[in-house]
Each structure stands twice: as C-alpha cells, then as structure tokens.
Amino acid sequence: MVSKEQIYNWLEEVSDPEIPVLSVIDLGVIRDAKNIDGEWLITITPTYSGCPAMKTMEEDILSKLKTKGIDTARVELVLAPAWSTDWLSENGRVKLREYGIAPPEHEVDKSVLFAAPTIVPCPKCHSKNTRMVSQFGSTACKAMYQCNDCQEPYDYFKCLK
Amino acid sequence: MKNEALFRYLLRLGDDSLILGQRLAEWCGHGPILEEDIAMTNISLDLIGQAMSLLDYAGVIEGKERNCDKLGLLRYEKEYVNVLLVEQPNGDFGDTIMRQFLFDAFRKPLYEKLVNSSDKQLAAIAEKSLKETRYHLKHSSEWVIRLGDGTEESHERVQNSLDTLWRFADELFYTDEVEAQLTGEGILPDLSEIKTEWESTVKHVFSEATLEIPANNWKFEGGRKGRHSEHFGHLLSELQYMQRAYPNMEW
C-alpha cells in the first residue's frame, strides 16, 4: 500500500500553474492526504479566495496521481485554518528568489494610511534600496516593486498572515 | 431547510460581494492607469471568490442543490438582496474609490466579529476574507485621501462622489429578524459595535482627506428587501448573459 509520504513525494512534481517554479508542497497548500477505504482524499487550502489557479491545481493533482497508478482520489478544498505565507517552505523561498520573485518578508505590512511599505530586497542585486510600484500585481498573491539601484522591476510575493 | 435565517444572511453577504465584484470587473481594461486597472480587477477577484464561498455555503444550508453558480447567476432581480451601494454605477475613478472605501470600512470590522461565530464554516470564510479585506481598505482609504487632499479638481470631484454615495451608506447597517435570530442562536456575535468602528474610520479618513460629510441626512434603502435601483437590471443582464443564453454551460 502507498504511504502518505509517497503521495507527498509525488505531489512535489505538481507545480503551481501561475508560478511554475513552486510545487504545491512548496506553496504549502496541501493540508493532508488520507486513505479512506481505498480512496485517497487530498485536502488543499486556497491562497486567496478567488485564486483561479486552485481548480487547475486540483486537476493537476488528480492527473499526477493517476500517472502513478492512483485512480481513486479526490481533492477537497478547506478554508480553515486560513493559508498564510508562513506555510511556504524554505526551499520554496529560495526557489522564488532564484526565479526573480522576492519571497514574502516575515512581517505582514500592517501599515495603514501612507506608512512606508515593507522593505523588500531586490531578488537580483539584493539591494534594500527598492520601492513599491503597485500594491497589486499580475496574480492575487503578488505586488509590484522596482529596485532603485539596478532598476530591475520585480514581483513581490506578498506576506499574508 | 436547516436554518432559513442563516441562508438569508449568507445571501446578503454573498450578494454584496458578488455585485461589487461584478462592478469592479467592469473596469478591466478601462482603469485610469495600469496599476489601478490591476488593483480593481484583483479586488474584484477577491470579492467574487468570497461570494463563491458564501453562496456555496448558502446552498448547503438551503439543501436544494443550488451552488454558487446557480445562486449567483440564475436568480431574478427581486431575489438578490445586496445593498443599493454596491450596485451603483462605477462613475469616474473617484466614485468607484469612494464606494469601495465606504464598503471596505464596513466589511473589515464585520469580518473581525464573524471570525468568532459559533458557526464554524462562517467563521472560516470570515478568517480567510478578513486578510484580503484589510488590504483592500488600505488601498481605498489611501486613494480617498490622495484625491480629497489632492488638486482642486480631484477634491471637488471626490467630494461630489461622497455627496452622491453617502445616502446609500446607512443600508450597510440594516438589520431585521434575520440578524436577531442568528444573534440569539450565537451564530452572529454582537454586531452593534461595527457602526461605531465604521464611523470612526470614515471620520478619520475624511478629515485627512479634507472632505465634508454631507449635511443632508436623506437615506436610501431597499436592496436587502429585493427592491433595487434601475441600474441593477442592466448589471444582471451582463452578469447572467452566458447562463441565460446557454443554460447550464460549463467550462
């Protein structure tokens, strides 16, 4: 019989459709894998309420398991406890930076009303002399920044807690 | 039905999110600058995501196998119970931002309370949505200040937005036997402090923005009872088009 660890190892091969450098394990959206009377139940949690990638992840998980010979599996979406960027793996943070996306800083931007936004080091030259260009970005989980030193424009994977 | 009051309450929250999300989506490709085009459509996506969670759960409580698509896209006008504020047309960017600010300033303290609901699924939706809503409020309040305390023209225009939209704000605090019953059952925490917190947020932001709350205290309501403004039918015709033209289509 296939173990839970084996299922998790296979899921390392399923990537986030929006940020293909991350696996669903790196992203921290896989909450559990249980075998119930021969059927595998994979529990996942959304990063953002309206994240359109969740449906694709669900399909990708099922088709990956199928290629490994697991035909009876289903994916269930749960909201609680709510996903936070703390669940992003260390490995995932390194991969994000190498890919050119600044990983989430450990502190959520609690500032209200014009307070300086979080300092996010440039993923290319590591300078801290950067500025936020836009609070929102190309996907729900990102904001846009630019480096004042090397001029690199980059995505910031927003801290969410 | 398991709990009719809970079903009706979930429709109220879900419809507010869905209709405001639809309004914001109309900005796609029309934003005044690229960053704001992206911001408004991102907020739209969060709101539609929240609407899906709320309406899916409403469908579970109702027990008639209606999911968020059936409830969101296949009801008639009078069956929608969103407040009138969220269906108001986008107008200019200042109108959209003012509408958003009045709404976000209400939603944040509401979700903070709902996190403590004795109903586990409602509490989970609130916990998830609260994180998104805090970010929305930061965005909308900063823009209200930037426009209000900006140039003479931006000040005048966003003051006009406030004068026009203020009459719709009070309906956010509408309650009737639905809320009363749910509070009695412990599903809704005490909601009375939300208005106090909302008032303190709007007063603070309007004072920073040098905007005046209109003296005219005339209030509009009706959305919670299914009585909508003339704009609503047009909005629904666009929202529901695909399901009406191609019933039960999926992709």
Side-chain angles (χ1 to χ4, degrees):
Chain A
M1 155 137 166
V2 173
S3 68
K4 179 173 163 178
E5 286 68 33
Q6 181 64 67
I7 296 281
Y8 270 63
N9 284 340
W10 286 334
L11 294 182
E12 282 280 6
E13 298 169 27
V14 178
S15 57
D16 177 344
E18 302 269 13
I19 310 172
V21 70
L22 290 182
S23 74
V24 290
I25 299 286
D26 293 327
L27 193 61
V29 295
I30 306 292
R31 300 316 296 156
D32 200 12
K34 269 199 290 245
N35 191 306
I36 303 170
D37 302 329
E39 182 191 48
W40 279 98
L41 172 66
I42 317 292
T43 316
I44 65 173
T45 184
T47 50
Y48 283 79
S49 298
C51 180
M54 297 316 292
K55 189 71 197 166
T56 313
M57 281 186 211
E58 185 181 326
E59 286 163 7
D60 291 351
I61 288 168
L62 293 178
S63 61
K64 174 59 69 182
L65 292 179
K66 214 164 225 145
T67 65
K68 305 291 180 186
I70 308 278
D71 290 322
T72 45
R74 68 193 162 90
V75 173
E76 198 176 81
L77 199 70
V78 293
L79 294 176
W83 179 84
S84 102
T85 40
D86 284 347
W87 295 356
L88 198 72
S89 71
E90 269 313 310
N91 193 21
R93 303 174 69 88
V94 172
K95 286 192 208 164
L96 273 179
R97 200 177 290 113
E98 285 169 358
Y99 190 63
I101 297 176
E105 293 296 313
H106 285 287
E107 267 304 295
V108 69
D109 190 354
K110 287 203 192 82
S111 66
V112 280
L113 301 178
F114 294 112
T118 321
I119 293 173
V120 178
C122 171
K124 290 283 178 211
C125 76
H126 312 293
S127 164
K128 287 187 176 173
N129 179 21
T130 64
R131 67 192 170 91
M132 189 178 74
V133 177
S134 172
Q135 281 170 291
F136 294 87
S138 55
T139 64
C141 53
K142 288 183 270 168
M144 292 194 283
Y145 273 69
Q146 187 170 14
C147 177
N148 293 328
D149 287 338
C150 75
Q151 301 297 313
E152 174 79 4
Y154 57 93
D155 277 326
Y156 168 52
F157 199 109
K158 290 185 288 207
C159 179
L160 188 76
K161 284 188 190 180
Chain B
M1 196 179 312
K2 283 181 199 155
N3 184 336
E4 197 186 337
L6 181 56
F7 171 69
R8 290 175 63 195
Y9 186 71
L10 290 164
L11 284 188
R12 289 174 184 189
L13 294 187
D15 286 351
D16 284 354
S17 301
L18 176 68
I19 301 304
L20 188 55
Q22 171 71 10
R23 273 291 185 227
L24 288 171
E26 291 171 13
W27 274 105
C28 188
H30 300 277
I33 49 171
L34 182 61
E35 287 79 0
E36 288 313 302
D37 198 294
I38 294 169
M40 287 187 281
T41 43
N42 261 288
I43 296 167
S44 168
L45 197 60
D46 285 343
L47 285 168
I48 290 172
Q50 294 172 16
M52 287 169 74
S53 301
L54 291 159
L55 295 179
D56 267 338
Y57 187 40
V60 170
I61 299 295
E62 186 192 37
K64 291 184 183 164
E65 301 196 352
R66 290 203 285 181
N67 61 9
C68 65
D69 288 336
K70 288 233 157 52
L71 285 167
L73 303 173
L74 290 171
R75 274 177 295 153
Y76 292 100
E77 182 171 345
K78 287 187 172 170
E79 297 170 303
Y80 283 84
V81 287
N82 56 279
V83 291
L84 298 177
L85 176 72
V86 297
E87 70 195 46
Q88 295 310 302
N90 284 339
D92 63 19
F93 180 66
D95 294 328
T96 291
I97 284 295
M98 183 56 73
R99 183 186 63 199
Q100 193 66 34
F101 169 65
L102 294 171
F103 181 79
D104 293 339
F106 164 74
R107 264 294 164 97
K108 180 183 149 284
L110 176 67
Y111 280 141
E112 281 169 348
K113 293 279 178 199
L114 292 182
V115 163
N116 300 318
S117 170
S118 66
D119 185 281
K120 285 208 170 71
Q121 181 65 6
L122 179 58
I125 296 170
E127 190 195 344
K128 182 81 216 156
S129 308
L130 175 59
K131 297 176 186 217
E132 296 158 1
T133 305
R134 282 199 184 112
Y135 205 71
H136 301 169
L137 177 60
K138 179 173 157 62
H139 174 259
S140 58
S141 49
E142 284 185 0
W143 268 111
V144 166
I145 295 172
R146 231 178 234 135
L147 295 172
D149 193 23
T151 65
E152 206 172 305
E153 181 175 351
S154 72
H155 174 84
E156 193 185 317
R157 286 173 68 172
V158 80
Q159 179 68 55
N160 281 340
S161 311
L162 173 56
D163 294 348
T164 310
L165 292 168
W166 186 250
R167 68 197 73 175
F168 299 109
D170 214 46
E171 197 184 8
L172 290 167
F173 305 97
Y174 174 89
T175 55
D176 58 19
E177 73 278 3
V178 168
E179 284 81 0
Q181 187 190 321
L182 294 176
T183 306
E185 291 170 9
I187 292 175
L188 283 194
D190 178 15
L191 298 177
S192 62
E193 293 152 30
I194 291 176
K195 189 165 189 186
T196 323
E197 189 173 335
W198 179 84
E199 280 171 344
S200 115
T201 308
V202 300
K203 276 183 188 149
H204 170 64
V205 169
F206 289 157
S207 106
E208 295 275 319
T210 69
L211 294 173
E212 298 276 340
I213 291 177
N216 185 344
N217 229 14
W218 176 249
K219 307 290 186 204
F220 269 109
E221 60 168 49
R224 286 280 186 254
K225 296 177 186 128
R227 290 199 308 269
H228 294 278
S229 57
E230 64 174 289
H231 311 293
F232 195 58
H234 298 277
L235 181 147
L236 283 191
S237 69
E238 202 164 288
L239 176 70
Q240 300 190 340
Y241 175 79
M242 293 300 272
Q243 280 300 324
R244 297 296 185 193
Y246 307 97
N248 302 317
M249 70 159 303
E250 283 184 44
W251 77 79

